[in-house]
Amino acid sequence: MNRRQHKASLTKKKISDAAIKLFEEKGFRNVTVDEIVQVTGTSKGAFYTHFKSKHEVFFDKFKEIDRYYEEVLLDFVKEEEFSIEKLRIFLRLQMKYIQEDLGWDVTRTIYENELDPSRKSYFLMEDRPLYRILTNIFDEGQKNGEFRNDISTEKMVMVCLRVMRGILYDWSINEGAYSLEEEQELLFSTMINGLEA
Amino acid sequence: MNRRQHKASLTKKKISDAAIKLFEEKGFRNVTVDEIVQVTGTSKGAFYTHFKSKHEVFFDKFKEIDRYYEEVLLDFVKEEEFSIEKLRIFLRLQMKYIQEDLGWDVTRTIYENELDPSRKSYFLMEDRPLYRILTNIFDEGQKNGEFRNDISTEKMVMVCLRVMRGILYDWSINEGAYSLEEEQELLFSTMINGLEA
DNA sequence: ATATTCTACAGACTATAGTCTCTTTGTCAA
DNA sequence: TTGACAAAGAGACTATAGTCTGTAGAATAT
């Protein structure tokens, strides 16, 4: 990385840090790009060379989510004997993390971004770690007879993803008004119930 | 209704009709309010006296959805002996209707609107016919022992709504790329499985 | 060392949803 | 009938995300 690239990456980080801080303080919608640009002493040009949109500032946050799933949550899950328990715990911790560390405004913003066809989708990237994690769990659980055998792993992953999206979307439109950690239990246990062998 | 109100309602209808037609032709995001105003020969002032936002033009469409659920779908369901079958058929027909009559762009637009905290939410209106319909089905099914008795009807309705939102959100971000009518089957049957007594 | 090219950035500009103010005209009370 | 009021509408204006164009100076080639 030469001097120029280095300086550029500093600018990107400066913008990103300031933006995320402002979003946390005032909420995503109440922060303007002009404001971000102003407090960082940069410019529209700088902002949009580093980010495709105001939403995209979250992209790093998003990669962070997946890293957290892989590095932290998988550890908690590893020791469990049964795949069903792995799944249950993974989902609970995931919801807890989203509630406590991301918060509903970030979640809402990410969910909103996905609905805009002109913007890059993170949910539809096929190689998301989340998908691998779920695939592994279902695969293993199906092999040792815990999950139904009449449905492919892919389909079970799809079911699981849609249920997750359902509760996270619902939580977002409710502006985080209920405890995700508590409410997830019934929903996911119903789903797991329906997927058990 | 006096002459003035009559004329006003004509204007509203003119705007609404033209807008929906344009949305169908070009997609919601590719139609501007200026364009709607121009083709109807009205003005911004007229538009915004009748609609709180561009999204709100769908409000009527939304009421139409619920009317359809109540008037058409309930008829198909009435004859069924088992509540579980009623639920299954209702959900299938609902998805079929959304796929064929509304389309993913309208669905996406409605789902997007809900994510904006500054706008009126339709999903959170407690007296939506949809909620009554689901409550009735679960209530009846619980009484005759088809559904689990350890969960309240309200909670089962919540589970069902979240699953519905999950698949519709997912279908929206996929830009309607798969058949809702086909894909709903596995998801809802899994859920019903988990709710059966 | 000099010329050339490229890239990060500045900031003016555009597109568009939504607001504000002013005007017109129907309604209603006296 | 007339005067006050209100509501529907016209259209200028604002706020803000995103685009476009030009430039300085760093990298690179000769």
Side-chain angles (χ1 to χ4, degrees), chain B residues 83 133-145 147 153-154 156-157:
Chain B
S83 301
I133 292 171
L134 291 176
T135 304
N136 286 341
I137 293 179
F138 280 118
D139 218 35
E140 186 190 275
Q142 206 174 37
K143 284 211 181 80
N144 60 37
F147 288 116
T153 350
E154 292 79 42
M156 290 202 281
V157 171

mmCIF file of all heavy atoms in Angstrom, chain B residues 83 133-145 147 153-154 156-157:
data_model
loop_
_atom_site.group_PDB
_atom_site.id
_atom_site.type_symbol
_atom_site.label_atom_id
_atom_site.label_comp_id
_atom_site.label_asym_id
_atom_site.label_seq_id
_atom_site.Cartn_x
_atom_site.Cartn_y
_atom_site.Cartn_z
ATOM 1 N N SER B 83 -59.821 -26.928 11.017
ATOM 2 C CA SER B 83 -59.224 -25.588 11.059
ATOM 3 C C SER B 83 -57.858 -25.582 10.419
ATOM 4 O O SER B 83 -57.459 -24.609 9.776
ATOM 5 C CB SER B 83 -59.086 -25.133 12.508
ATOM 6 O OG SER B 83 -60.340 -25.112 13.105
ATOM 7 N N ILE B 133 -59.184 -12.724 11.123
ATOM 8 C CA ILE B 133 -59.332 -14.002 10.420
ATOM 9 C C ILE B 133 -58.440 -15.063 11.054
ATOM 10 O O ILE B 133 -58.883 -16.160 11.390
ATOM 11 C CB ILE B 133 -58.958 -13.828 8.925
ATOM 12 C CG1 ILE B 133 -59.979 -12.947 8.215
ATOM 13 C CG2 ILE B 133 -58.861 -15.191 8.242
ATOM 14 C CD1 ILE B 133 -59.587 -12.538 6.795
ATOM 15 N N LEU B 134 -57.189 -14.727 11.243
ATOM 16 C CA LEU B 134 -56.254 -15.698 11.813
ATOM 17 C C LEU B 134 -56.654 -16.064 13.241
ATOM 18 O O LEU B 134 -56.636 -17.244 13.624
ATOM 19 C CB LEU B 134 -54.832 -15.137 11.795
ATOM 20 C CG LEU B 134 -54.191 -14.982 10.411
ATOM 21 C CD1 LEU B 134 -52.827 -14.319 10.516
ATOM 22 C CD2 LEU B 134 -54.065 -16.331 9.695
ATOM 23 N N THR B 135 -57.032 -15.055 14.009
ATOM 24 C CA THR B 135 -57.455 -15.328 15.386
ATOM 25 C C THR B 135 -58.609 -16.321 15.409
ATOM 26 O O THR B 135 -58.608 -17.288 16.188
ATOM 27 C CB THR B 135 -57.870 -14.017 16.086
ATOM 28 O OG1 THR B 135 -56.786 -13.096 16.020
ATOM 29 C CG2 THR B 135 -58.198 -14.271 17.547
ATOM 30 N N ASN B 136 -59.578 -16.096 14.560
ATOM 31 C CA ASN B 136 -60.730 -17.004 14.508
ATOM 32 C C ASN B 136 -60.316 -18.433 14.192
ATOM 33 O O ASN B 136 -60.760 -19.375 14.851
ATOM 34 C CB ASN B 136 -61.735 -16.539 13.453
ATOM 35 C CG ASN B 136 -62.500 -15.321 13.930
ATOM 36 O OD1 ASN B 136 -62.553 -15.044 15.126
ATOM 37 N ND2 ASN B 136 -63.090 -14.590 12.993
ATOM 38 N N ILE B 137 -59.481 -18.566 13.181
ATOM 39 C CA ILE B 137 -59.067 -19.917 12.786
ATOM 40 C C ILE B 137 -58.333 -20.624 13.926
ATOM 41 O O ILE B 137 -58.631 -21.769 14.264
ATOM 42 C CB ILE B 137 -58.175 -19.867 11.522
ATOM 43 C CG1 ILE B 137 -58.999 -19.396 10.313
ATOM 44 C CG2 ILE B 137 -57.580 -21.242 11.238
ATOM 45 C CD1 ILE B 137 -58.216 -19.273 9.014
ATOM 46 N N PHE B 138 -57.380 -19.915 14.525
ATOM 47 C CA PHE B 138 -56.615 -20.546 15.614
ATOM 48 C C PHE B 138 -57.500 -20.847 16.813
ATOM 49 O O PHE B 138 -57.376 -21.880 17.466
ATOM 50 C CB PHE B 138 -55.447 -19.643 16.038
ATOM 51 C CG PHE B 138 -54.268 -19.734 15.114
ATOM 52 C CD1 PHE B 138 -53.822 -18.626 14.415
ATOM 53 C CD2 PHE B 138 -53.591 -20.941 14.941
ATOM 54 C CE1 PHE B 138 -52.722 -18.706 13.555
ATOM 55 C CE2 PHE B 138 -52.495 -21.031 14.086
ATOM 56 C CZ PHE B 138 -52.064 -19.914 13.390
ATOM 57 N N ASP B 139 -58.392 -19.930 17.077
ATOM 58 C CA ASP B 139 -59.312 -20.081 18.196
ATOM 59 C C ASP B 139 -60.131 -21.359 18.045
ATOM 60 O O ASP B 139 -60.181 -22.220 18.927
ATOM 61 C CB ASP B 139 -60.254 -18.874 18.194
ATOM 62 C CG ASP B 139 -60.565 -18.414 19.599
ATOM 63 O OD1 ASP B 139 -59.655 -18.502 20.449
ATOM 64 O OD2 ASP B 139 -61.705 -17.990 19.831
ATOM 65 N N GLU B 140 -60.744 -21.453 16.898
ATOM 66 C CA GLU B 140 -61.574 -22.611 16.584
ATOM 67 C C GLU B 140 -60.740 -23.896 16.616
ATOM 68 O O GLU B 140 -61.122 -24.885 17.239
ATOM 69 C CB GLU B 140 -62.156 -22.407 15.183
ATOM 70 C CG GLU B 140 -63.145 -23.437 14.733
ATOM 71 C CD GLU B 140 -63.458 -23.244 13.241
ATOM 72 O OE1 GLU B 140 -64.335 -22.418 12.947
ATOM 73 O OE2 GLU B 140 -62.799 -23.905 12.397
ATOM 74 N N GLY B 141 -59.594 -23.844 15.984
ATOM 75 C CA GLY B 141 -58.732 -25.022 15.917
ATOM 76 C C GLY B 141 -58.210 -25.453 17.274
ATOM 77 O O GLY B 141 -57.953 -26.637 17.513
ATOM 78 N N GLN B 142 -58.043 -24.484 18.130
ATOM 79 C CA GLN B 142 -57.569 -24.815 19.468
ATOM 80 C C GLN B 142 -58.705 -25.465 20.276
ATOM 81 O O GLN B 142 -58.491 -26.452 20.969
ATOM 82 C CB GLN B 142 -57.092 -23.533 20.153
ATOM 83 C CG GLN B 142 -56.043 -23.761 21.213
ATOM 84 C CD GLN B 142 -55.504 -22.446 21.769
ATOM 85 O OE1 GLN B 142 -56.247 -21.475 21.933
ATOM 86 N NE2 GLN B 142 -54.212 -22.417 22.067
ATOM 87 N N LYS B 143 -59.899 -24.923 20.086
ATOM 88 C CA LYS B 143 -61.048 -25.460 20.819
ATOM 89 C C LYS B 143 -61.311 -26.914 20.456
ATOM 90 O O LYS B 143 -61.617 -27.737 21.311
ATOM 91 C CB LYS B 143 -62.300 -24.618 20.524
ATOM 92 C CG LYS B 143 -62.296 -23.288 21.263
ATOM 93 C CD LYS B 143 -63.716 -22.824 21.598
ATOM 94 C CE LYS B 143 -63.689 -21.473 22.319
ATOM 95 N NZ LYS B 143 -63.508 -20.323 21.392
ATOM 96 N N ASN B 144 -61.205 -27.230 19.176
ATOM 97 C CA ASN B 144 -61.457 -28.624 18.818
ATOM 98 C C ASN B 144 -60.179 -29.468 18.776
ATOM 99 O O ASN B 144 -60.128 -30.506 18.120
ATOM 100 C CB ASN B 144 -62.291 -28.744 17.533
ATOM 101 C CG ASN B 144 -61.594 -28.090 16.343
ATOM 102 O OD1 ASN B 144 -60.362 -28.170 16.220
ATOM 103 N ND2 ASN B 144 -62.354 -27.461 15.466
ATOM 104 N N GLY B 145 -59.194 -29.000 19.490
ATOM 105 C CA GLY B 145 -58.027 -29.839 19.749
ATOM 106 C C GLY B 145 -57.059 -30.050 18.602
ATOM 107 O O GLY B 145 -56.191 -30.922 18.683
ATOM 108 N N PHE B 147 -54.981 -27.554 17.370
ATOM 109 C CA PHE B 147 -53.753 -26.801 17.667
ATOM 110 C C PHE B 147 -53.358 -26.979 19.131
ATOM 111 O O PHE B 147 -54.192 -27.284 19.978
ATOM 112 C CB PHE B 147 -53.953 -25.311 17.363
ATOM 113 C CG PHE B 147 -54.010 -25.008 15.892
ATOM 114 C CD1 PHE B 147 -55.175 -24.498 15.319
ATOM 115 C CD2 PHE B 147 -52.902 -25.223 15.078
ATOM 116 C CE1 PHE B 147 -55.235 -24.210 13.968
ATOM 117 C CE2 PHE B 147 -52.955 -24.940 13.725
ATOM 118 C CZ PHE B 147 -54.126 -24.445 13.163
ATOM 119 N N THR B 153 -53.859 -18.011 21.626
ATOM 120 C CA THR B 153 -54.156 -17.721 20.220
ATOM 121 C C THR B 153 -53.358 -16.533 19.728
ATOM 122 O O THR B 153 -52.850 -16.546 18.604
ATOM 123 C CB THR B 153 -55.646 -17.362 20.029
ATOM 124 O OG1 THR B 153 -56.354 -17.634 21.213
ATOM 125 C CG2 THR B 153 -56.231 -18.119 18.890
ATOM 126 N N GLU B 154 -53.262 -15.506 20.568
ATOM 127 C CA GLU B 154 -52.524 -14.313 20.145
ATOM 128 C C GLU B 154 -51.098 -14.679 19.739
ATOM 129 O O GLU B 154 -50.578 -14.189 18.753
ATOM 130 C CB GLU B 154 -52.448 -13.267 21.273
ATOM 131 C CG GLU B 154 -53.776 -12.624 21.623
ATOM 132 C CD GLU B 154 -54.625 -13.526 22.512
ATOM 133 O OE1 GLU B 154 -54.060 -14.129 23.440
ATOM 134 O OE2 GLU B 154 -55.826 -13.664 22.219
ATOM 135 N N MET B 156 -50.004 -17.547 18.712
ATOM 136 C CA MET B 156 -49.985 -18.296 17.452
ATOM 137 C C MET B 156 -50.176 -17.361 16.264
ATOM 138 O O MET B 156 -49.531 -17.522 15.227
ATOM 139 C CB MET B 156 -51.047 -19.396 17.492
ATOM 140 C CG MET B 156 -50.664 -20.503 18.478
ATOM 141 S SD MET B 156 -51.469 -22.075 18.176
ATOM 142 C CE MET B 156 -53.049 -21.737 18.877
ATOM 143 N N VAL B 157 -51.046 -16.387 16.432
ATOM 144 C CA VAL B 157 -51.227 -15.405 15.359
ATOM 145 C C VAL B 157 -49.909 -14.668 15.099
ATOM 146 O O VAL B 157 -49.504 -14.479 13.939
ATOM 147 C CB VAL B 157 -52.352 -14.398 15.705
ATOM 148 C CG1 VAL B 157 -52.387 -13.258 14.698
ATOM 149 C CG2 VAL B 157 -53.692 -15.094 15.756
#
